[in-house]
Amino acid sequence: MLLITGCARHTEDAQHSITGEVSYSTPVRFSENARLELILTDVSVEGPAIQIASTDIDHLTELPCRFSLAYPAQKINPAHRYTIEARVYSGQHLSYATDTPHEVLTQGKPHELNLQVSAADNINSSSASASVANDETIFQGEMRTASDVTLYRIGLKNELLVWLEEERSNITPQPVKARYEFKGALLQHYRDALGLEIQFDERGRPQRMQRQQQILDIKRETDMLNVIRNRASLLRSQALASRESQSHRQATEQWQGVDGLTKYK
């Protein structure tokens, strides 16, 4: 009852809700303070994906768990695509998460659904989540360091990475969100949730920098540019390596299922 009440308090100011259940492959009970986070996102627009609504269920004691995520109906465009994701935190540690976003609301997608989560330690190389318009494939994964956890999504066309989005949980009060766009291996465009935007030319050289409409001096922001370039390179390498590893595992499983052929790892 405590969990259902925690969901219901977010529905008072909204006309519609997405409902369902979050579960793991086996029942889970939490002995320490746990929290379930649900996020509804518009993934149709140019630039970073837009968060439409979110809710937290505090004092989570077990999975499966029923949820209700309220959203403002006026923000939903029938022509857009929307996804929902679930994450379970034990204290500050990400314990479980959906390894692929689930489409909801528009274009025949449901308002009621079951979200299966995976153990966070197994999300380092997630499977491709969906094929969308213009032969674009989306792949999602996770990167861990000593100080933060990064959830990333990449878009591929013709097997080439064209964009990458990250959401990084660290010591700051709010996760850091950013989007990188590439042409080949060169960074072409950067935008983050703090209002910083950078455009690059065909050779990957910065052409314009602005933060919340204020133009920045490129020469004075060399350190910032280097950090962003290094971050883009690190995430791009990690994402491509994880995807390659996942493809290899899938191929291995197919070979192991064929009698008379040599198994390989």
Side-chain angles (χ1 to χ4, degrees), residues 84-257:
I84 186 172
E85 300 175 61
R87 300 168 192 163
V88 177
Y89 293 88
S90 298
Q92 298 298 317
H93 175 70
L94 179 64
S95 300
Y96 300 90
T98 45
D99 54 7
T100 59
H102 294 257
E103 293 194 36
V104 291
L105 299 181
T106 59
Q107 303 177 30
K109 300 303 187 294
H111 291 70
E112 166 88 20
L113 73 167
N114 294 325
L115 299 175
Q116 181 89 15
V117 294
S118 301
D121 291 342
N122 297 329
I123 304 177
N124 287 330
S125 53
S126 306
S127 59
S129 62
S131 294
V132 296
N134 301 320
D135 297 323
E136 181 176 271
T137 300
I138 297 176
F139 176 88
Q140 177 172 305
E142 177 184 284
M143 183 176 71
R144 290 175 174 270
T145 68
S147 60
D148 59 41
V149 177
T150 299
L151 298 178
Y152 59 80
R153 298 169 67 243
I154 62 174
L156 302 108
K157 290 185 179 181
N158 300 320
E159 299 301 311
L160 296 177
L161 188 151
V162 292
W163 59 262
L164 186 153
E165 293 175 349
E166 69 165 322
E167 180 173 347
R168 181 166 30 144
S169 299
N170 54 19
I171 59 175
T172 59
Q174 298 294 329
V176 175
K177 298 181 181 180
R179 178 181 172 101
Y180 309 78
E181 296 176 2
F182 299 85
K183 184 174 182 180
L186 295 178
L187 184 61
Q188 296 291 293
H189 187 260
Y190 171 86
R191 182 186 299 171
D192 64 28
L194 302 178
L196 176 64
E197 184 172 4
I198 308 173
Q199 296 176 344
F200 300 81
D201 65 14
E202 292 293 315
R203 297 184 179 181
R205 297 175 300 194
Q207 292 296 293
R208 180 183 177 88
M209 296 180 65
Q210 62 180 22
R211 178 183 282 113
Q212 299 177 347
Q213 307 305 316
Q214 180 181 358
I215 305 300
L216 303 180
D217 187 332
I218 294 176
K219 293 182 179 180
R220 294 181 181 178
E221 303 295 346
T222 301
D223 290 342
M224 180 195 300
L225 279 165
N226 288 336
V227 169
I228 290 172
R229 282 170 166 154
N230 290 339
R231 182 73 181 174
S233 178
L234 173 64
L235 285 168
R236 183 177 181 276
S237 298
Q238 169 73 17
L240 291 176
S242 295
R243 182 174 178 273
E244 181 68 22
S245 176
Q246 175 69 21
S247 298
H248 177 77
R249 284 201 303 273
Q250 291 175 341
T252 301
E253 292 170 357
Q254 292 174 356
W255 277 94
Q256 289 176 339

Side-chain angles (χ1 to χ4, degrees), residues 14-81:
Q15 297 180 352
H16 299 289
S17 296
I18 301 169
T19 58
E21 184 177 83
V22 176
S23 63
Y24 185 56
S25 56
T26 59
V28 178
R29 291 194 63 84
F30 298 96
S31 58
E32 59 179 317
N33 182 34
R35 172 174 61 88
L36 171 61
E37 178 183 59
L38 294 141
I39 302 173
L40 175 65
T41 304
D42 184 339
V43 296
S44 304
V45 297
E46 294 290 337
I50 299 174
Q51 181 174 310
I52 301 299
S54 66
T55 189
D56 288 351
I57 299 178
D58 298 322
H59 310 295
L60 181 68
T61 59
E62 63 182 3
L63 294 177
C65 170
R66 293 288 302 175
F67 72 87
S68 177
L69 172 59
Y71 62 90
Q74 67 273 17
K75 290 188 177 181
I76 301 303
N77 184 332
H80 285 197
R81 294 174 50 250

